[in-house]
Amino acid sequence: MKSSLSGGTLPVVGTAVFALLALPAFAQNAPPPSPVGVVEMHQQAVPRTITVPGRAIAAEETLVRPRVNGIITRILYQAGRPITAGTPMFEIEPAVYEAAVVQAQSNVASADAGVRQAQSAFDRAQRLVGSGTTQADVESAQATLDQALASYAVAESTLNLAQLELGWTTVVAPIDGMASVSEVSIGDLVSAAQASGLATVTTLDPIEVDLYGPAVRLQQLQSQIDSSRTGVLRDLQATLTLEDGRAYETAGQFVAPGFSVSTTTGTIETRFSFENPDFLLLPGMFVRGQVVFGEQQGFLVTQTAATRDRQGNLTVWVVENGTAVQRAVTDAGVWQHHWIITDGLSEGDQLIVDGTSMLAPGAAVTPVPVTIDDAGLIHDASAPAGGN
């Protein structure tokens, strides 16, 4: 019996198998398009910022020093409490200075009596000129009066100094701020010439922060401000991130630029002042500062939607003609957890922000509009407000 294959005719079953094998692969097991969350890109004005390290310093800090010698008899303040300028803090034994005031007062009274006596003698000499009193007598009386007036002035200045020293036996706070623990105890001998202080008073509200940036960046900043005419250095503001990662709520105001560059780090400091009512910032604390100086145009891309390739280029996924396409983009820094993209995206592009983990170039996708809240959570744009 002759085989049907030898006659050149395919069996019916063989023809069906051949036709099936001839179909394109995607027609056999083509997966459905994957839904992906997308956000439509729109260019917008974004603050121009630089992020630099910084360190908090006290706006004012001073040592409380004695101005007279003596024994500490009382400590009049509580450490760790706010204190205002002029508040008594220490008392130095005043007895010696009280005695000096009394003696100075008696010297003033004696000098005053001498002035009155000399004045009377001078007046009498003037009246009796030509009646047994010569001009030389008048001049002698005048000299005696002048000496008496000079002695009175010396006695009065000595009294003023004695009264000042008596007042200095009460040591007061020189500035407003927080008072430290006392460095002395009752019974300790202190002197006006000592190098160490009795305590420290530190102003914590407001507090100042020195931000350290490369000198070349400050020069670029100044050039950009001068060329754009959008502002001047004194209009700069800064925000802070604390050591534990929290954002400091209050923005700081520019105080002064630095006028020298560090020879070891090449940085220059710029000082800002921050309100600090809760004392969250303390002198010596390290922070990260973000300085805002003008605006730039760019696309804001949430950081979770962008990755870096092996060459370190920043890439994102966008939807083109129903397929996923990966693009390299150029960033100009970060603003509030978003990349600022200046090149690689166009107005109206559909940026894929959800469902990127399993994407491959050319994969069929179904774009689903979504929104991203301030916490970085993604929500279906069609869902009612407050819905899950």
Side-chain angles (χ1 to χ4, degrees):
M1 180 170 155
K2 199 172 185 180
S3 171
S4 59
L5 290 175
S6 63
T9 303
L10 290 173
V12 175
V13 175
T15 303
V17 173
F18 179 81
L20 182 60
L21 292 174
L23 289 175
F26 66 83
Q28 298 178 37
N29 296 300
S34 302
V36 291
V38 299
V39 174
E40 189 170 324
M41 290 285 93
H42 296 288
Q43 197 173 54
Q44 56 187 295
V46 183
R48 189 188 301 272
T49 64
I50 55 173
T51 301
V52 292
R55 189 164 179 252
I57 60 172
E60 290 183 308
E61 184 174 65
T62 183
L63 287 175
V64 180
R65 298 180 185 274
R67 302 179 70 176
V68 293
N69 306 328
I71 301 294
I72 297 293
T73 56
R74 286 198 298 167
I75 298 176
L76 306 171
Y77 76 102
Q78 287 186 319
R81 297 288 185 86
I83 197 169
T84 58
T87 301
M89 296 183 67
F90 299 91
E91 183 181 80
I92 298 173
E93 187 175 24
V96 173
Y97 301 97
E98 290 171 344
V101 168
V102 172
Q103 182 177 354
Q105 287 173 336
S106 65
N107 291 339
V108 168
S110 176
D112 182 58
V115 168
R116 290 198 302 272
Q117 183 179 6
Q119 184 69 53
S120 297
F122 174 72
D123 293 341
R124 184 169 55 254
Q126 281 189 317
R127 289 195 305 269
L128 297 177
V129 170
S131 301
T133 301
T134 65
Q135 186 61 36
D137 295 332
V138 173
E139 292 175 356
S140 177
Q142 177 69 63
T144 302
L145 175 59
D146 291 342
Q147 290 176 350
L149 290 171
S151 297
Y152 179 82
V154 170
E156 195 170 46
S157 65
T158 302
L159 173 61
N160 291 337
L161 178 59
Q163 290 172 333
L164 283 174
E165 289 181 335
L166 176 61
W168 291 340
T169 59
T170 300
V171 183
V172 300
I175 60 173
D176 297 345
M178 300 290 291
S180 73
V181 175
S182 172
E183 299 292 337
V184 296
S185 302
I186 294 175
D188 285 351
L189 176 65
V190 298
S191 70
Q194 70 181 47
S196 59
L198 308 181
T200 302
V201 177
T202 305
T203 299
L204 296 178
D205 184 25
I207 195 169
E208 295 182 347
V209 175
D210 281 343
L211 298 179
Y212 304 93
V216 64
R217 293 291 295 275
L218 184 62
Q219 292 171 343
Q220 293 171 350
L221 166 60
Q222 183 64 69
S223 299
Q224 290 167 347
I225 290 175
D226 291 341
S227 62
S228 63
R229 302 299 182 187
T230 59
V232 292
L233 280 175
R234 66 173 176 271
D235 298 323
L236 292 181
Q237 287 191 335
T239 57
L240 297 179
T241 302
L242 303 180
E243 290 178 297
D244 60 3
R246 287 183 297 165
Y248 192 70
E249 295 182 356
T250 306
Q253 303 299 317
F254 176 79
V255 175
F259 295 101
S260 63
V261 178
S262 170
T263 57
T264 56
T265 63
T267 59
I268 189 169
E269 64 184 39
T270 304
R271 181 163 294 186
F272 290 83
S273 177
F274 292 82
E275 294 181 3
N276 191 34
D278 298 324
F279 306 144
L280 289 179
L281 293 174
L282 297 175
M285 183 179 291
F286 289 97
V287 296
R288 283 188 295 112
Q290 194 172 58
V291 183
V292 181
F293 57 102
E295 294 181 338
Q296 60 185 330
Q297 294 295 317
F299 299 95
L300 289 181
V301 172
T302 182
Q303 289 181 308
T304 58
T307 57
R308 292 197 180 274
D309 60 21
R310 294 179 179 178
Q311 289 73 38
N313 300 317
L314 195 66
T315 63
V316 297
W317 290 93
V318 296
V319 177
E320 288 186 7
N321 301 321
T323 61
V325 175
Q326 194 171 26
R327 286 190 197 167
V329 293
T330 302
D331 72 279
V334 176
W335 172 250
Q336 294 183 343
H337 309 296
H338 290 78
W339 291 108
I340 304 170
I341 303 302
T342 56
D343 190 29
L345 290 176
S346 301
E347 187 72 16
D349 276 347
Q350 289 184 311
L351 175 75
I352 302 177
V353 298
D354 189 30
T356 60
S357 59
M358 301 299 291
L359 284 181
V365 293
T366 300
V368 178
V370 297
T371 59
I372 304 175
D373 62 21
D374 293 339
L377 299 178
I378 298 174
H379 305 275
D380 188 342
S382 62
N388 295 327

PDB file of all heavy atoms in Angstrom, residues 107-108 111-112 115 146-160:
ATOM      1  N   ASN A 107      33.385 112.082 102.436  1.00  0.00           N
ATOM      2  CA  ASN A 107      34.374 112.884 101.718  1.00  0.00           C
ATOM      3  C   ASN A 107      33.694 113.940 100.850  1.00  0.00           C
ATOM      4  O   ASN A 107      34.183 115.073 100.727  1.00  0.00           O
ATOM      5  CB  ASN A 107      35.261 111.996 100.855  1.00  0.00           C
ATOM      6  CG  ASN A 107      36.183 111.111 101.672  1.00  0.00           C
ATOM      7  OD1 ASN A 107      36.452 111.403 102.853  1.00  0.00           O
ATOM      8  ND2 ASN A 107      36.668 110.019 101.076  1.00  0.00           N
ATOM      9  N   VAL A 108      32.577 113.609 100.288  1.00  0.00           N
ATOM     10  CA  VAL A 108      31.829 114.574  99.472  1.00  0.00           C
ATOM     11  C   VAL A 108      31.312 115.701 100.368  1.00  0.00           C
ATOM     12  O   VAL A 108      31.379 116.890 100.006  1.00  0.00           O
ATOM     13  CB  VAL A 108      30.674 113.883  98.732  1.00  0.00           C
ATOM     14  CG1 VAL A 108      29.719 114.915  98.132  1.00  0.00           C
ATOM     15  CG2 VAL A 108      31.214 112.983  97.626  1.00  0.00           C
ATOM     16  N   ALA A 111      34.203 117.922 101.266  1.00  0.00           N
ATOM     17  CA  ALA A 111      34.610 118.746 100.129  1.00  0.00           C
ATOM     18  C   ALA A 111      33.597 119.838  99.865  1.00  0.00           C
ATOM     19  O   ALA A 111      33.962 120.969  99.495  1.00  0.00           O
ATOM     20  CB  ALA A 111      34.776 117.859  98.893  1.00  0.00           C
ATOM     21  N   ASP A 112      32.321 119.529 100.071  1.00  0.00           N
ATOM     22  CA  ASP A 112      31.278 120.541  99.859  1.00  0.00           C
ATOM     23  C   ASP A 112      31.435 121.682 100.870  1.00  0.00           C
ATOM     24  O   ASP A 112      31.283 122.861 100.526  1.00  0.00           O
ATOM     25  CB  ASP A 112      29.913 119.883 100.015  1.00  0.00           C
ATOM     26  CG  ASP A 112      28.784 120.869  99.765  1.00  0.00           C
ATOM     27  OD1 ASP A 112      28.748 121.455  98.655  1.00  0.00           O
ATOM     28  OD2 ASP A 112      27.927 121.043 100.653  1.00  0.00           O
ATOM     29  N   VAL A 115      34.198 123.892  99.740  1.00  0.00           N
ATOM     30  CA  VAL A 115      33.795 124.765  98.626  1.00  0.00           C
ATOM     31  C   VAL A 115      33.028 125.966  99.156  1.00  0.00           C
ATOM     32  O   VAL A 115      33.264 127.126  98.739  1.00  0.00           O
ATOM     33  CB  VAL A 115      32.950 123.976  97.602  1.00  0.00           C
ATOM     34  CG1 VAL A 115      32.288 124.925  96.611  1.00  0.00           C
ATOM     35  CG2 VAL A 115      33.816 122.956  96.874  1.00  0.00           C
ATOM     36  N   ASP A 146      39.042 127.437  93.526  1.00  0.00           N
ATOM     37  CA  ASP A 146      39.216 126.460  92.441  1.00  0.00           C
ATOM     38  C   ASP A 146      39.700 125.117  92.975  1.00  0.00           C
ATOM     39  O   ASP A 146      39.251 124.051  92.531  1.00  0.00           O
ATOM     40  CB  ASP A 146      40.206 127.002  91.404  1.00  0.00           C
ATOM     41  CG  ASP A 146      39.633 128.183  90.625  1.00  0.00           C
ATOM     42  OD1 ASP A 146      38.394 128.348  90.636  1.00  0.00           O
ATOM     43  OD2 ASP A 146      40.429 128.910  89.998  1.00  0.00           O
ATOM     44  N   GLN A 147      40.632 125.155  93.917  1.00  0.00           N
ATOM     45  CA  GLN A 147      41.133 123.916  94.518  1.00  0.00           C
ATOM     46  C   GLN A 147      40.015 123.188  95.270  1.00  0.00           C
ATOM     47  O   GLN A 147      39.921 121.957  95.234  1.00  0.00           O
ATOM     48  CB  GLN A 147      42.298 124.218  95.449  1.00  0.00           C
ATOM     49  CG  GLN A 147      43.566 124.656  94.722  1.00  0.00           C
ATOM     50  CD  GLN A 147      44.681 125.040  95.688  1.00  0.00           C
ATOM     51  OE1 GLN A 147      44.465 125.166  96.898  1.00  0.00           O
ATOM     52  NE2 GLN A 147      45.883 125.254  95.151  1.00  0.00           N
ATOM     53  N   ALA A 148      39.176 123.946  95.955  1.00  0.00           N
ATOM     54  CA  ALA A 148      38.064 123.341  96.696  1.00  0.00           C
ATOM     55  C   ALA A 148      37.063 122.688  95.745  1.00  0.00           C
ATOM     56  O   ALA A 148      36.539 121.599  96.011  1.00  0.00           O
ATOM     57  CB  ALA A 148      37.373 124.401  97.550  1.00  0.00           C
ATOM     58  N   LEU A 149      36.792 123.351  94.627  1.00  0.00           N
ATOM     59  CA  LEU A 149      35.877 122.774  93.626  1.00  0.00           C
ATOM     60  C   LEU A 149      36.452 121.496  93.024  1.00  0.00           C
ATOM     61  O   LEU A 149      35.725 120.518  92.797  1.00  0.00           O
ATOM     62  CB  LEU A 149      35.590 123.801  92.526  1.00  0.00           C
ATOM     63  CG  LEU A 149      34.726 125.001  92.929  1.00  0.00           C
ATOM     64  CD1 LEU A 149      34.700 126.045  91.810  1.00  0.00           C
ATOM     65  CD2 LEU A 149      33.302 124.534  93.256  1.00  0.00           C
ATOM     66  N   ALA A 150      37.786 121.510  92.787  1.00  0.00           N
ATOM     67  CA  ALA A 150      38.422 120.311  92.246  1.00  0.00           C
ATOM     68  C   ALA A 150      38.355 119.162  93.245  1.00  0.00           C
ATOM     69  O   ALA A 150      38.087 118.005  92.877  1.00  0.00           O
ATOM     70  CB  ALA A 150      39.871 120.619  91.866  1.00  0.00           C
ATOM     71  N   SER A 151      38.583 119.463  94.506  1.00  0.00           N
ATOM     72  CA  SER A 151      38.504 118.413  95.538  1.00  0.00           C
ATOM     73  C   SER A 151      37.087 117.854  95.636  1.00  0.00           C
ATOM     74  O   SER A 151      36.886 116.646  95.834  1.00  0.00           O
ATOM     75  CB  SER A 151      38.933 118.978  96.894  1.00  0.00           C
ATOM     76  OG  SER A 151      40.287 119.393  96.851  1.00  0.00           O
ATOM     77  N   TYR A 152      36.103 118.738  95.459  1.00  0.00           N
ATOM     78  CA  TYR A 152      34.704 118.276  95.493  1.00  0.00           C
ATOM     79  C   TYR A 152      34.411 117.342  94.311  1.00  0.00           C
ATOM     80  O   TYR A 152      33.742 116.313  94.472  1.00  0.00           O
ATOM     81  CB  TYR A 152      33.758 119.474  95.475  1.00  0.00           C
ATOM     82  CG  TYR A 152      32.305 119.069  95.474  1.00  0.00           C
ATOM     83  CD1 TYR A 152      31.663 118.728  96.661  1.00  0.00           C
ATOM     84  CD2 TYR A 152      31.575 119.006  94.289  1.00  0.00           C
ATOM     85  CE1 TYR A 152      30.329 118.343  96.665  1.00  0.00           C
ATOM     86  CE2 TYR A 152      30.254 118.617  94.284  1.00  0.00           C
ATOM     87  CZ  TYR A 152      29.631 118.282  95.470  1.00  0.00           C
ATOM     88  OH  TYR A 152      28.320 117.886  95.491  1.00  0.00           O
ATOM     89  N   ALA A 153      34.915 117.672  93.137  1.00  0.00           N
ATOM     90  CA  ALA A 153      34.689 116.832  91.960  1.00  0.00           C
ATOM     91  C   ALA A 153      35.318 115.454  92.145  1.00  0.00           C
ATOM     92  O   ALA A 153      34.721 114.429  91.786  1.00  0.00           O
ATOM     93  CB  ALA A 153      35.246 117.516  90.711  1.00  0.00           C
ATOM     94  N   VAL A 154      36.537 115.416  92.726  1.00  0.00           N
ATOM     95  CA  VAL A 154      37.192 114.127  92.976  1.00  0.00           C
ATOM     96  C   VAL A 154      36.375 113.311  93.969  1.00  0.00           C
ATOM     97  O   VAL A 154      36.164 112.099  93.783  1.00  0.00           O
ATOM     98  CB  VAL A 154      38.629 114.346  93.485  1.00  0.00           C
ATOM     99  CG1 VAL A 154      39.217 113.035  93.974  1.00  0.00           C
ATOM    100  CG2 VAL A 154      39.491 114.957  92.396  1.00  0.00           C
ATOM    101  N   ALA A 155      35.919 113.939  95.038  1.00  0.00           N
ATOM    102  CA  ALA A 155      35.142 113.233  96.055  1.00  0.00           C
ATOM    103  C   ALA A 155      33.836 112.701  95.473  1.00  0.00           C
ATOM    104  O   ALA A 155      33.404 111.574  95.780  1.00  0.00           O
ATOM    105  CB  ALA A 155      34.861 114.160  97.236  1.00  0.00           C
ATOM    106  N   GLU A 156      33.218 113.482  94.606  1.00  0.00           N
ATOM    107  CA  GLU A 156      31.946 113.055  94.007  1.00  0.00           C
ATOM    108  C   GLU A 156      32.153 111.879  93.052  1.00  0.00           C
ATOM    109  O   GLU A 156      31.364 110.934  93.030  1.00  0.00           O
ATOM    110  CB  GLU A 156      31.307 114.233  93.269  1.00  0.00           C
ATOM    111  CG  GLU A 156      29.835 113.980  92.934  1.00  0.00           C
ATOM    112  CD  GLU A 156      29.162 115.241  92.417  1.00  0.00           C
ATOM    113  OE1 GLU A 156      29.773 115.913  91.554  1.00  0.00           O
ATOM    114  OE2 GLU A 156      28.045 115.548  92.874  1.00  0.00           O
ATOM    115  N   SER A 157      33.240 111.909  92.258  1.00  0.00           N
ATOM    116  CA  SER A 157      33.498 110.797  91.347  1.00  0.00           C
ATOM    117  C   SER A 157      33.839 109.527  92.121  1.00  0.00           C
ATOM    118  O   SER A 157      33.465 108.422  91.722  1.00  0.00           O
ATOM    119  CB  SER A 157      34.641 111.160  90.393  1.00  0.00           C
ATOM    120  OG  SER A 157      35.860 111.322  91.093  1.00  0.00           O
ATOM    121  N   THR A 158      34.547 109.697  93.254  1.00  0.00           N
ATOM    122  CA  THR A 158      34.848 108.532  94.098  1.00  0.00           C
ATOM    123  C   THR A 158      33.570 107.928  94.665  1.00  0.00           C
ATOM    124  O   THR A 158      33.425 106.703  94.742  1.00  0.00           O
ATOM    125  CB  THR A 158      35.788 108.942  95.242  1.00  0.00           C
ATOM    126  OG1 THR A 158      36.995 109.491  94.694  1.00  0.00           O
ATOM    127  CG2 THR A 158      36.141 107.741  96.111  1.00  0.00           C
ATOM    128  N   LEU A 159      32.625 108.796  95.027  1.00  0.00           N
ATOM    129  CA  LEU A 159      31.328 108.310  95.517  1.00  0.00           C
ATOM    130  C   LEU A 159      30.585 107.555  94.413  1.00  0.00           C
ATOM    131  O   LEU A 159      30.009 106.486  94.658  1.00  0.00           O
ATOM    132  CB  LEU A 159      30.490 109.478  96.035  1.00  0.00           C
ATOM    133  CG  LEU A 159      29.049 109.136  96.426  1.00  0.00           C
ATOM    134  CD1 LEU A 159      29.027 108.106  97.549  1.00  0.00           C
ATOM    135  CD2 LEU A 159      28.290 110.402  96.826  1.00  0.00           C
ATOM    136  N   ASN A 160      30.599 108.101  93.209  1.00  0.00           N
ATOM    137  CA  ASN A 160      29.919 107.429  92.089  1.00  0.00           C
ATOM    138  C   ASN A 160      30.509 106.042  91.843  1.00  0.00           C
ATOM    139  O   ASN A 160      29.780 105.074  91.627  1.00  0.00           O
ATOM    140  CB  ASN A 160      30.024 108.275  90.827  1.00  0.00           C
ATOM    141  CG  ASN A 160      29.209 109.550  90.902  1.00  0.00           C
ATOM    142  OD1 ASN A 160      28.250 109.633  91.673  1.00  0.00           O
ATOM    143  ND2 ASN A 160      29.582 110.554  90.116  1.00  0.00           N
TER     144      ASN A 160
END
